[in-house]
Amino acid sequence: KNFAGACAGAWAAATIAAVSRLSICGSWRRSALHAAASNRSSAARASGETGSSAGSGSVALVVGAGPAGLATALMLAKEGWQVTVVEKSVDLTSYDPGRGFMYLIDGRGQNCLSQLSPDLMERLKSSSVSMMETRIGILTPKGLKETLNPMKDATRNSYWLPRHVFVSLLEESVRLSDRIRVISGASIDSLENEASHGFVAKGSTVQGEPWSASGSLLVGADGLRSTVR
């Protein structure tokens, strides 16, 4: 399953609808930071400001609160951005049991998550199944034979967990940040260019409450049927 635009998928039949392999590449983070830096530089040149710090004037809107959107929000907040995350689902961790996904967090993913939040990997380990603990079952005429999954290098451990559990862990970290605002159950009704801020987005929640957000960086992390890309 794609995570932050840089995942390698490996689908396999399982007791759930599909299984996907999570792999976060450092190139995604560098590209995202480069794009953010370019936005800051353009804004700074326009206003006559100098310096490389994001500062209080750097504001981003992330559309979609899946793994990609929440991870992007955490990364931007760590770089000094004020971030608004908009999600159409009321519950960020809601899922269809008949279409569930499992993620395998490998070494690159673990490194990225550790950088996003210091305790994120420790919480993930307690909510997942280690590859060191998985077993392979072989059905023979004499019955079921179980063996431990062979690991060539015990130090290169990976962890399996359901998507909705992964999202809940990221959401916990997001909710703890004073730089991130989350608006759930929300739709986007308009998106317009705005000279002083870059863009202005407006919409409403399922309760009928209006919301708006302006900024210089817009991230579309709302899937294949994106409303902003």
Side-chain angles (χ1 to χ4, degrees), residues 2-109:
N2 281 341
F3 175 36
C7 299
W11 300 94
T15 54
I16 54 176
V19 174
S20 58
R21 183 175 186 275
L22 176 66
S23 174
I24 311 166
C25 300
S27 59
W28 168 80
R29 187 173 188 276
R30 289 192 296 272
S31 297
L33 288 175
H34 177 73
S38 296
N39 277 275
R40 290 200 299 271
S41 298
S42 298
R45 285 193 297 269
S47 61
E49 297 175 0
T50 59
S52 59
S53 175
S56 60
S58 297
V59 184
L61 172 64
V62 176
V63 182
L70 294 177
T72 300
L74 286 170
M75 183 272 290
L76 288 172
K78 187 176 180 180
E79 296 296 323
W81 288 69
Q82 294 291 332
V83 186
T84 295
V85 180
V86 176
E87 167 59 40
K88 66 178 180 180
S89 300
V90 175
D91 181 4
L92 273 58
T93 61
S94 62
Y95 71 103
D96 180 355
R99 300 179 60 191
F101 293 101
M102 292 289 286
Y103 282 165
L104 178 62
I105 314 298
D106 65 7
R108 290 171 294 177

Side-chain angles (χ1 to χ4, degrees), residues 182-194:
V182 178
I183 306 174
S184 59
S187 62
I188 298 179
D189 301 326
S190 66
L191 180 62
E192 300 176 354
N193 290 328
E194 216 270 345

